Amino acid sequence: MSLSPPSPAILRSRGAIITALGLTQIMAWGSSYYLPAVIAPAVSSDNGWPLAWVVGGLSLGLLVAGLISPRVGSSIERHGGRNVLAFSAGCIGVGQVGLAVAPNLAAYIAAWLIVGLGMGAGLYDAAFATLGRHYGHGARSAITTLTLFGGFASTICWPISAFLLEEVGWRGTCLVYAAVQLVIALPLYLVILPREAPKPPVKPGLNQATPAREGNPDPSIMIVLAATLTLAAVISSTLSVHLLTILQGSGMALAAAVGLGALVGPSQVAARAIEMTIARYHHPILTKFVSVTFVAIGVSALWAGMPIIPLALGFYGAGIGLESIARGTLPLALFGSNGYARLMGRLAMPSLIAQAAAPSAGALLLERFGPHGTLAALSGLALANVILACGLGWRMLRRQESQVQTR
């Protein structure tokens, strides 16, 4: 009797796939989302372009990412993530080349739109969808491990970007990141990620007999889940851009603000590491609830002017660290693996669009109400998110009770 050869998916170990995705996530975040924080002042001063427009390139890129995310999710659901993620590396790489050679502000913005295509097809949501498509219900631990890699993105890439900026200038920095995407990330995706067997498109009405948990999301739960994920994205996006300004607004020196702000990254990683060891013992809704609670404690403590600022930033960092895990694992636990990639694309759209608008809204709040008023607004949003998470948990219990009663 002859044995059939093992499939490519079996030949590629789980560890190799997760490690490859983890490394490429660090490269993708460092080449896109985290780059303007380092190079934007130099771009503005070298060319005389308004800083708001230089930084606004990222916002427009995030807007593009949000608009394409449903299509990205559907593509991953049908064909797997290999080609989509490879496309993302190509777009970020080509976009970085565009940034490096941009002769004027219009070309610079156009290049960010191309980078935005890459962000929509290659950051967390697409990577989570790829793992969910490949591993099904077993993707939870893979998603948690992946976020552990991603937590090092700013810690690794900000110093590298600063070094490159000093050595080769901002245009040279963009070319280096283009090479990273096109020469390292793109081949990694194509070599390590397996080809997936295509799934036929689901026709309307075909799955009416499928339980709501598998492939037919409860609309009320979907709305609350999307709302809480979007609120979390608004808070983290606003503070990622304006945290140093807010800390300096309270009378703190820049060096001290940078030192304290650096605590957020290690807090994220520490919280994710703890979650990775205990995840098997609880439902992801608990991860979500702890996440929003920690963010609310941290932001509210900053607003109240508590003297123990490192503790407040530690709570905030741990909260947003856990949020990344809940963003990927909670939809999987609520609705199952059938249609998970498509669902992640739908959930990503409002979050990414909100992330695109949040920095500008934060700047307006700072201009009108100052750091204290901005923190007050963010505290209100964080407390509202705690209420939403509680409502989500209550709605889950109600659904479980109704399912038990109908059996």
Side-chain angles (χ1 to χ4, degrees):
M1 181 177 67
S2 63
L3 296 175
S4 59
S7 69
I10 295 175
L11 290 175
R12 295 170 177 84
S13 71
R14 183 183 179 97
I17 290 173
I18 297 172
T19 300
L21 281 178
L23 293 175
T24 51
Q25 280 297 293
I26 292 174
M27 299 176 204
W29 285 94
S31 301
S32 57
Y33 187 83
Y34 289 120
L35 185 60
V38 178
I39 71 167
V43 175
S44 178
S45 62
D46 285 357
N47 298 280
W49 302 337
L51 182 60
W53 275 103
V54 171
V55 176
L58 173 60
S59 294
L60 292 173
L62 286 170
L63 177 61
V64 170
L67 293 175
I68 70 166
S69 59
R71 182 65 178 270
V72 168
S74 295
S75 180
I76 294 174
E77 183 64 34
R78 289 196 62 191
H79 304 289
R82 180 177 181 268
N83 291 337
V84 172
L85 292 173
F87 171 78
S88 78
C91 285
I92 295 176
V94 171
Q96 288 295 341
V97 172
L99 292 176
V101 301
N104 50 53
L105 183 57
Y108 174 87
I109 295 297
W112 266 112
L113 299 181
I114 299 173
V115 173
L117 291 173
M119 290 192 289
L123 295 185
Y124 268 152
D125 295 299
F128 293 161
T130 298
L131 291 173
R133 168 69 158 77
H134 188 60
Y135 294 117
H137 286 290
R140 180 178 177 183
S141 62
I143 290 171
T144 303
T145 305
L146 183 63
T147 63
L148 198 60
F149 277 91
F152 291 102
S154 61
T155 304
I156 292 172
C157 293
W158 274 343
I160 291 175
S161 298
F163 171 78
L164 290 172
L165 181 64
E166 184 69 23
E167 294 297 320
V168 297
W170 72 268
R171 294 183 186 272
T173 301
C174 292
L175 288 175
V176 170
Y177 278 123
V180 166
Q181 289 299 313
L182 298 174
V183 178
I184 301 177
L186 179 57
L188 265 179
Y189 287 134
L190 294 176
V191 171
I192 301 297
L193 294 184
R195 296 180 184 273
E196 304 273 7
K199 290 182 180 180
V202 178
K203 295 181 180 180
L206 193 61
N207 287 345
Q208 295 305 313
T210 305
R213 191 175 179 277
E214 274 289 342
N216 290 318
D218 182 324
S220 63
I221 292 182
M222 265 288 291
I223 291 171
V224 178
L225 178 60
T228 184
L229 294 178
T230 301
L231 268 186
V234 167
I235 296 168
S236 63
S237 182
T238 302
L239 283 179
S240 69
V241 174
H242 298 297
L243 178 60
L244 298 185
T245 302
I246 289 172
L247 292 176
Q248 291 179 84
S250 63
M252 191 177 297
L254 175 60
V258 170
L260 288 171
L263 295 174
V264 174
S267 300
Q268 290 184 61
V269 174
R272 290 169 181 170
I274 293 171
E275 167 69 11
M276 189 165 61
T277 63
I278 65 174
R280 67 175 70 92
Y281 302 113
H282 63 266
H283 192 281
I285 189 62
L286 181 61
T287 306
K288 177 64 180 177
F289 181 74
V290 173
S291 165
V292 296
T293 301
F294 278 12
V295 168
I297 291 172
V299 177
S300 297
L302 288 174
W303 169 60
M306 292 181 63
I308 312 177
I309 294 178
L311 185 60
L313 292 175
F315 269 107
Y316 167 71
I320 61 173
L322 294 175
E323 172 63 29
S324 297
I325 296 176
R327 183 185 184 93
T329 59
L330 186 52
L332 183 65
L334 286 175
F335 306 119
S337 59
N338 181 29
Y340 171 76
R342 187 182 302 108
L343 176 65
M344 288 302 296
R346 290 166 58 191
L347 289 171
M349 185 176 184
S351 295
L352 288 168
I353 292 174
Q355 278 184 283
S360 298
L364 291 174
L365 284 172
L366 279 169
E367 182 179 346
R368 173 163 288 197
F369 301 107
H372 188 72
T374 301
L375 285 174
L378 293 175
S379 297
L381 292 179
L383 292 172
N385 216 11
V386 173
I387 296 172
L388 279 175
C390 291
L392 183 61
W394 176 81
R395 187 68 188 87
M396 286 172 53
L397 290 174
R398 289 290 303 273
R399 188 183 66 177
Q400 289 174 354
E401 290 174 357
S402 64
Q403 288 175 345
V404 170
Q405 291 171 0
T406 56
R407 288 175 184 170

